[in-house]
Amino acid sequence: MVSMFQRERERGSESCRTMAERVEGEEDGKQLALKIARILDECRLSQAVHQRKLRELSAIRSTVQFDFFSSFIRALTPLFEVSQKTASAERIVRFISAFAVRGDGKSDRVSCNAFLLQFMRFLHVAAQAAKKGARLRACQIISQILLLLSDDADVSDEVWDDVIESMKERVEDKVPEVRICAVRALSRFANDEESSDIVDLLLRALSQESSAEVRKTILLSLPPSNYTSASVISRTLDVHESVRKAAYGALASKFPLQSLSIKLRTLVLQRGLTDRSPSVKTECLKMLKEVWLAKCCDGDPIALLRYLDVETYESVGETVMEALLKDGAIQIHEGQSIRQFLSSKSDNPEGEKESMTGVQLMEPEVAFYWRTVCRHLQVQAEAKGSDAAATTGAEAAVYASEATMKNDLLESVLPACVSHYIALVNAHLSAGPNMRFSSRQLLLLGATLDFSDAVNRTAAGGFVRGLLCRPLDHDVDEMGEKVLIGDGISLGGDRDWCGAVAALAKKVHAAAGEFEEVVAAVAAQLARPCRERTADAIGWSHCLAVAGLLLENAASYRTLAGRAIEPAELLSSLLLPAAKHVHVDVQRAATRCLGLFGLLESRPSEELVKQLRLAFVGGASAVRVMACRALLDLVTWHGPDELDRAIGPDPDVGLLDLLYAGLGEDEVGPPCEPETVQGVLGEGFSKILLLHEHYPSISPSLQSLILGRLIRLYFFSESKDLDRLKQCLSVFFDHFPALSEANKACISRAFVPVMRSTWPGVNGGAGVGGAQARKRAVNVSRFMLQLMQTPLRAKAEEKEYSPGESTFDVENGEEGLAIRIATEVGGFAGKRSAAGRAYAAALCRIVPALKFRSSQQEAIKFMGGLLGPLTQAMKKDKELARELAEMAAELRSLDRTPGEDLPAETAAQLRQRLQLDEELPAATGRRGRAVRAASSSSSSSSSSEDERVYYTPAAATATAPRPARRSKTVAMSRMTARDDEDDSDVTSADESVID
């Protein structure tokens, strides 16, 4: 112990001198101050002496009242000069805080309160000091005193108000440690109903705080209430794992399960149990197991599931049950099993639900509980069995024994035989729609049963066939018409039910081809009245639902051959006629089946592709969405060329062009429709652009057009129906620029067309005008620049790319983008309209941000010829003109042959590589000639190097007319014609300026 104290004494420099030495060294030091300082020295070395020294210092205070406070402050002053966080300083803080709130009886209570008031006033002043060490110690001592002070302490309101105000100011201190102490001090008053301003201050500080430790302290200091719960839950998404962990700690200690809404409960558990940090997962599981399950639900997992509403949040319930089962928090007690819901007696106790077959119906939470428990036992038994097979000796025997135990427990829980299981499910099916969730859980439970016995398999096969033949639920409207209940395309009306039936059917009919044979037989039976035209819309939808289940789960096209209904017959006699049915729901279901059928074909058939195109062009909104999804699936599976070849050697309109035209539509579907054509197309085209290397037939120009359309949808769409698409695009834009150089080229080519179409009032732009629209268009330009400058991801065997080592060609790199922008600005710089001038200036501001590589000498000279006119056009904007002049100087420094001009032939080739002729209005060339003529007329006069124009590229193609865009489609031709009309307007405007 002595050596430890010695090391503590010798640590540091001046800041670690003993307090007694500092006081003793002052000329006006007093014996009392020296005595107090020696007590503090002893307390800073060990906490074991604190109680004894508290009594000693209290005795001194009671005997010397008038000079005690000044001497105490003199002895304590050195502590305020130390800003480092040391163990000795922390001990002194704890000691003097305990001393400040200590009272030695009623007779000494007055003097103690007087000392406390004097000390708090002193700390209030010290908390405003300029030195961070003084502020830190003052706030630290105040927070410690408030922590120890009893509720009945006699402290005047004036002192409290001063302390609170000073701590409010310190919450915004620049030192994080000071902010932490201030928050801890204010937490004493946060629970006061009259101090709502303190809670508001803490919540505001939490949302703006940059330090993780401060955010963590605020979380632990907030009082529990509906007002603060949202802020605490929002911190479960904090970037720092310690803050997320603290949020779950605060939820566990301050917010009972019942105080949170069902949505918030499930949100908290979903985030915590799937967090990437193991410590956060552990904290969330601790809250779930020790507080929510053990305390709030008395250890009953079914009660916990009721609080989570597993009917609505089924996936969250599965995550919760998996976590609890893996942790061993749920144990199956003797007598608990599914068999308790099966009874052969008819005189069950009063109050129990019982069907006519003697089956007690399960509540949704109970059915969900047993399904997840049985699945967990089966997985554990299989895992232990695999471990036993992979090892030998005693270890294998242990694993085999554990597997046997799990299997035995599973068998004791499940129904005794398959017939009992079927009776249990049928009872729930007969109970009506209220038992739908329980019925589906029991269907999923069938995956844990053994159907190897022929008798069991026969009984289960008949049960599965009954499920397939079970009519779709429907209602009757006021007109007497039947209305489907559910999505109208899946068996049973929803995909979850359809998936449960398919899983059970595959389990029962596990032999090769048996599943396809059974389902095809049912589909053929249901298709007979459809072919005979005697089925109503409900009958058609039921048949298509079974056909969709067959097509979605079939192993391949070959497994459908030789069945009760052949693939060709299925297509010609059912799917195609259904797609032309008068009822929209039937058309929609048939369109989905056509898409599934096309995925199974090695080559898509002509009739199928034509029908899907027809449904996309002229179908109802719901049918168009389904056709759009089916066509995109076929494009990604077979490729666009294969689909175009399916309908003939030279289709009038290519499929991708047709879909692209749909992407530009502003169609709003019915309010009940969850998806729109634009949304589905946007997601599909995002996938196509990410995988564009697999589709070499898609031209770079079309890729640029698609990218531009996606960017415009992302920025300018106000429809709430496209919120899902915007989430998809936010992920897409994070990944697309970093994949390949071809993607960089696509972004570079799309930049100018996107800006021209989005800028309000320029060349038929889509904007609505006004400062807000222009600001949004500027944001688009910045966003595209950010995409262009996103570094490429390095391959596993290559080093990471860096801007200085970029392998881009000119057209794919920042040089090509700069030239495209500069040439575009040249066509609009002279426009008299405010929108044209603003558009040119906004684009021109992007140019200095782009960097040129010294290896690209042709691009350097090319750009040098464009900067002269740009600088002249932007001379009114002095800051922009200065940036352009600096860029021109930088280009001159990179030019290895400053005395040579760029040959016209080389400039024309570079212009062709950058596809400038296809993007720019014809007026650009005329303006280029005017600029070149002006520069040549003054070439005889001497000019400075800064003003020299290297070359004006527009002159190289001045006499060439603007070529029309290559287009394989009528839709694209119409768009091109529209662009040509816009360009002609710009040309005449520019000619008037030049003239």
Side-chain angles (χ1 to χ4, degrees):
M1 295 294 291
V2 176
S3 60
M4 182 183 69
F5 295 154
Q6 185 66 24
R7 287 195 302 270
E8 184 69 28
R9 285 180 178 274
E10 295 175 354
R11 182 182 301 170
S13 56
E14 176 65 22
S15 62
C16 290
R17 288 174 53 200
T18 64
M19 307 183 81
E21 290 175 348
R22 297 188 180 193
V23 175
E24 191 176 19
E26 297 182 6
E27 296 180 356
D28 57 345
K30 301 291 184 179
Q31 290 297 323
L32 179 58
L34 182 59
K35 188 175 182 179
I36 296 174
R38 287 171 178 167
I39 293 176
L40 296 178
D41 277 336
E42 295 182 38
C43 290
R44 78 182 183 90
L45 296 179
S46 174
Q47 193 168 352
V49 301
H50 280 199
Q51 290 299 323
R52 179 165 54 86
K53 293 300 176 181
L54 279 174
R55 292 192 295 269
E56 182 179 343
L57 191 57
S58 298
I60 296 175
R61 181 176 61 183
S62 61
T63 56
V64 184
Q65 297 182 1
F66 297 102
D67 296 333
F68 177 80
F69 182 76
S70 59
S71 301
F72 178 82
I73 295 301
R74 177 173 298 181
L76 194 61
T77 300
L79 177 65
F80 288 82
E81 300 175 3
V82 181
S83 59
Q84 292 86 353
K85 187 176 181 180
T86 61
S88 59
E90 298 298 319
R91 294 190 192 101
I92 295 178
V93 169
R94 286 194 293 270
F95 175 77
I96 60 177
S97 300
F99 173 72
V101 299
R102 180 183 176 88
D104 291 334
K106 296 182 179 180
S107 60
D108 196 38
R109 183 68 58 86
V110 176
S111 62
C112 292
N113 289 339
F115 172 81
L116 178 60
L117 289 177
Q118 284 182 298
F119 194 33
M120 294 296 287
R121 291 192 181 98
F122 167 79
L123 294 174
H124 166 65
V125 175
Q128 315 297 324
K131 292 184 178 180
K132 67 176 183 179
R135 298 198 308 275
L136 173 60
R137 294 308 177 197
C139 294
Q140 191 178 12
I141 297 172
I142 289 175
S143 64
Q144 190 72 17
I145 289 176
L146 293 176
L147 179 65
L148 299 175
L149 197 62
S150 60
D151 295 335
D152 59 349
D154 186 12
V155 182
S156 65
D157 293 338
E158 181 183 355
V159 173
W160 281 140
D161 293 340
D162 291 342
V163 170
I164 291 174
E165 291 302 321
S166 64
M167 292 300 99
K168 285 181 178 179
E169 295 179 8
R170 293 308 100 208
V171 169
E172 300 178 357
D173 197 279
K174 62 182 179 180
V175 181
E177 291 79 5
V178 175
R179 300 200 295 271
I180 290 175
C181 296
V183 169
R184 288 174 179 167
L186 289 175
S187 65
R188 172 68 183 266
F189 308 97
N191 291 313
D192 191 353
E193 296 180 356
E194 298 179 357
S195 301
S196 60
D197 57 332
I198 295 179
V199 178
D200 294 336
L201 174 64
L202 294 179
L203 292 177
R204 184 169 62 253
L206 179 63
S207 63
Q208 302 173 354
E209 181 56 55
S210 59
S211 171
E213 285 299 319
V214 181
R215 294 198 301 273
K216 177 180 175 181
T217 305
I218 295 176
L219 280 177
L220 299 177
S221 303
L222 287 173
S225 67
N226 294 332
Y227 184 54
T228 59
S229 60
S231 297
V232 175
I233 292 174
S234 68
R235 288 299 108 188
T236 58
L237 291 178
D238 197 277
V239 296
H240 203 280
E241 66 178 70
S242 66
V243 182
R244 300 198 300 274
K245 182 178 178 181
Y248 285 102
L251 288 171
S253 61
K254 299 181 179 182
F255 297 89
L257 173 62
Q258 296 83 350
S259 67
L260 302 177
S261 65
I262 295 176
K263 184 176 181 180
L264 291 180
R265 297 168 198 163
T266 55
L267 182 65
V268 165
L269 293 176
Q270 182 67 26
R271 290 175 179 176
L273 296 177
T274 59
D275 197 278
R276 61 181 179 271
S277 170
S279 63
V280 178
K281 278 185 181 180
T282 303
E283 190 69 24
C284 179
L285 180 60
K286 180 181 178 182
M287 176 196 72
L288 173 64
K289 181 178 63 173
E290 299 180 2
V291 181
W292 287 14
L293 177 61
K295 295 182 179 180
C296 300
C297 300
D298 295 327
D300 185 2
I302 295 178
L304 175 63
L305 294 177
R306 290 193 182 99
Y307 279 116
L308 299 180
D309 187 12
V310 292
E311 287 190 84
T312 306
Y313 303 98
E314 185 175 359
S315 61
V316 179
E318 291 176 348
T319 304
V320 168
M321 287 297 295
E322 181 182 1
L324 293 175
L325 287 168
K326 283 185 177 180
D327 189 70
I330 296 178
Q331 299 294 332
I332 300 175
H333 302 288
E334 186 177 355
Q336 289 183 334
S337 71
I338 299 176
R339 298 181 184 183
Q340 63 188 356
F341 297 94
L342 296 166
S343 175
S344 60
K345 298 180 180 180
S346 60
D347 54 345
N348 283 337
E350 185 179 355
E352 290 185 350
K353 285 186 176 181
E354 188 179 80
S355 68
M356 296 178 62
T357 58
V359 175
Q360 181 183 347
L361 299 179
M362 293 184 182
E363 295 180 353
E365 296 81 13
V366 177
F368 178 84
Y369 169 80
W370 284 115
R371 193 262 292 180
T372 53
V373 167
C374 291
R375 178 56 182 165
H376 175 74
L377 291 175
Q378 184 186 41
V379 170
Q380 278 197 326
E382 292 175 352
K384 296 300 181 181
S386 300
D387 293 340
T391 56
T392 58
E395 185 178 4
V398 172
Y399 286 139
S401 176
E402 293 178 353
T404 302
M405 291 175 58
K406 297 297 181 183
N407 278 320
D408 292 343
L409 180 58
L410 179 60
E411 290 180 5
S412 67
V413 168
L414 290 172
C417 59
V418 172
S419 60
H420 289 180
Y421 166 75
I422 294 174
L424 182 66
V425 180
N426 281 329
H428 286 79
L429 290 174
S430 303
N434 291 336
M435 288 288 113
R436 182 61 175 266
F437 182 83
S438 299
S439 302
R440 181 165 61 81
Q441 299 303 312
L442 294 175
L443 288 181
L444 295 171
L445 183 66
T448 60
L449 297 176
D450 183 14
F451 299 101
S452 59
D453 182 78
V455 177
N456 289 340
R457 191 164 57 252
T458 301
F463 175 64
V464 168
R465 184 178 179 86
L467 290 174
L468 294 173
C469 295
R470 186 181 179 86
L472 299 181
D473 294 335
H474 64 276
D475 202 350
V476 180
D477 61 10
E478 298 176 354
M479 305 299 295
E481 297 291 335
K482 294 181 179 179
V483 180
L484 278 173
I485 298 176
D487 60 10
I489 61 175
S490 302
L491 186 67
D494 66 84
R495 289 190 59 83
D496 292 335
W497 179 268
C498 184
V501 173
L504 180 61
K506 288 181 179 180
K507 177 73 175 181
V508 174
H509 304 289
E514 186 178 349
F515 169 81
E516 289 83 359
E517 181 180 357
V518 171
V519 181
V522 175
Q525 176 185 341
L526 296 174
R528 190 174 298 113
C530 297
R531 289 199 300 266
E532 296 171 356
R533 300 297 188 268
T534 60
D536 57 4
I538 303 296
W540 276 95
S541 298
H542 185 195
C543 181
L544 292 171
V546 175
L549 185 146
L550 172 64
L551 295 172
E552 194 171 13
N553 295 276
S556 65
Y557 188 87
R558 282 183 237 178
T559 58
L560 298 177
R563 305 304 176 191
I565 183 170
E566 293 284 345
E569 181 185 2
L570 179 66
L571 176 64
S572 60
S573 64
L574 179 64
L575 301 186
L576 291 175
K580 301 171 185 176
H581 196 276
V582 67
H583 203 283
V584 174
D585 290 338
V586 178
Q587 296 177 25
R588 179 168 169 263
T591 303
R592 171 180 176 266
C593 291
L594 287 174
L596 296 174
F597 191 92
L599 294 176
L600 292 175
E601 291 183 305
S602 58
R603 289 185 179 180
S605 57
E606 178 181 357
E607 297 84 359
L608 184 146
V609 177
K610 284 185 176 180
Q611 181 58 46
L612 288 178
R613 288 167 59 101
L614 183 63
F616 175 73
V617 173
S621 177
V623 179
R624 292 195 66 206
V625 170
M626 193 60 70
C628 175
R629 187 173 296 282
L631 287 172
L632 287 170
D633 289 342
L634 295 180
V635 165
T636 55
W637 184 254
H638 295 289
D641 290 345
E642 196 67 36
L643 294 179
D644 287 338
R645 282 193 292 267
I647 60 174
D650 189 16
D652 294 333
V653 179
L655 179 59
L656 281 183
D657 295 328
L658 185 67
L659 296 176
Y660 175 78
L663 188 64
E665 296 177 359
D666 191 16
E667 177 183 350
V668 179
C672 59
E673 292 295 333
E675 294 180 307
T676 62
V677 172
Q678 272 191 337
V680 174
L681 284 173
E683 293 184 29
F685 275 124
S686 299
K687 185 187 299 183
I688 290 174
L689 288 182
L690 289 175
L691 303 175
H692 69 93
E693 295 178 354
H694 298 282
Y695 313 111
S697 61
I698 303 179
S699 64
S701 59
L702 182 56
Q703 293 181 30
S704 301
L705 290 173
I706 293 172
L707 178 64
R709 180 68 66 183
L710 294 180
I711 293 174
R712 289 192 287 273
L713 284 174
Y714 184 69
F715 274 93
F716 289 92
S717 175
E718 302 292 343
S719 175
K720 293 184 178 180
D721 297 332
L722 296 180
D723 288 345
R724 171 188 167 93
L725 173 61
K726 291 181 179 180
Q727 293 178 358
C728 169
L729 292 178
S730 65
V731 179
F732 165 75
F733 291 131
D734 286 341
H735 291 80
F736 179 72
L739 292 182
S740 68
E741 295 183 11
N743 292 356
K744 293 288 190 179
C746 179
I747 297 171
S748 180
R749 286 190 299 269
F751 188 97
V752 172
V754 168
M755 286 304 303
R756 187 185 299 174
S757 63
T758 56
W759 192 270
V762 174
N763 201 19
V768 295
Q772 184 176 2
R774 294 181 184 178
K775 181 179 180 181
R776 186 160 53 178
V778 171
N779 292 336
V780 174
S781 65
R782 292 174 179 172
F783 173 72
M784 292 205 65
L785 179 63
Q786 180 182 1
L787 292 183
M788 188 62 199
Q789 295 181 336
T790 301
L792 282 175
R793 296 197 187 111
K795 297 180 180 179
E797 67 276 5
E798 297 177 359
K799 65 179 181 179
E800 294 185 358
Y801 291 99
S802 63
E805 300 173 347
S806 175
T807 58
F808 292 150
D809 296 331
V810 173
E811 56 268 33
N812 301 336
E814 296 186 25
E815 297 90 352
L817 180 58
I819 294 173
R820 287 187 175 98
I821 294 176
T823 315
E824 170 75 2
V825 171
F828 282 88
K831 290 184 72 67
R832 295 174 179 175
S833 65
R837 293 194 301 269
Y839 171 74
L843 276 185
C844 205
R845 293 183 191 281
I846 304 298
V847 175
L850 299 170
K851 302 300 179 183
F852 280 69
R853 294 162 291 176
S854 60
S855 59
Q856 303 296 335
Q857 289 295 308
E858 297 176 356
I860 291 173
K861 290 184 177 292
F862 198 103
M863 187 66 190
L866 296 174
L867 281 180
L870 287 186
T871 306
Q872 182 66 22
M874 300 298 163
K875 62 182 180 180
K876 292 184 178 180
D877 191 334
K878 296 183 179 179
E879 182 179 358
L880 179 57
R882 177 181 57 79
E883 293 178 357
L884 292 175
E886 292 176 354
M887 182 178 183
E890 183 179 356
L891 291 179
R892 285 193 297 273
S893 66
L894 295 175
D895 192 352
R896 297 172 183 171
T897 56
E900 300 179 7
D901 292 339
L902 186 67
E905 182 180 355
T906 304
Q909 293 175 355
L910 183 58
R911 187 181 183 87
Q912 183 177 6
R913 288 164 58 190
L914 294 174
Q915 300 179 348
L916 298 181
D917 293 334
E918 294 187 6
E919 294 178 356
L920 299 177
T924 305
R926 297 185 180 92
R927 184 170 180 82
R929 288 198 303 274
V931 173
R932 186 170 185 271
S935 61
S936 61
S937 63
S938 60
S939 59
S940 58
S941 60
S942 60
S943 60
S944 65
E945 183 68 18
D946 292 345
E947 298 175 352
R948 184 169 65 86
V949 177
Y950 295 178
Y951 179 74
T952 305
T957 55
T959 59
R962 179 188 180 194
R965 281 196 184 100
R966 293 182 180 179
S967 176
K968 298 184 294 184
T969 69
V970 175
M972 295 297 295
S973 300
R974 292 175 180 174
M975 293 178 62
T976 304
R978 220 179 290 125
D979 288 343
D980 289 338
E981 292 176 3
D982 293 338
D983 290 343
S984 64
D985 296 339
V986 176
T987 301
S988 37
D990 284 347
E991 285 177 345
S992 64
V993 173
I994 295 173
D995 294 340

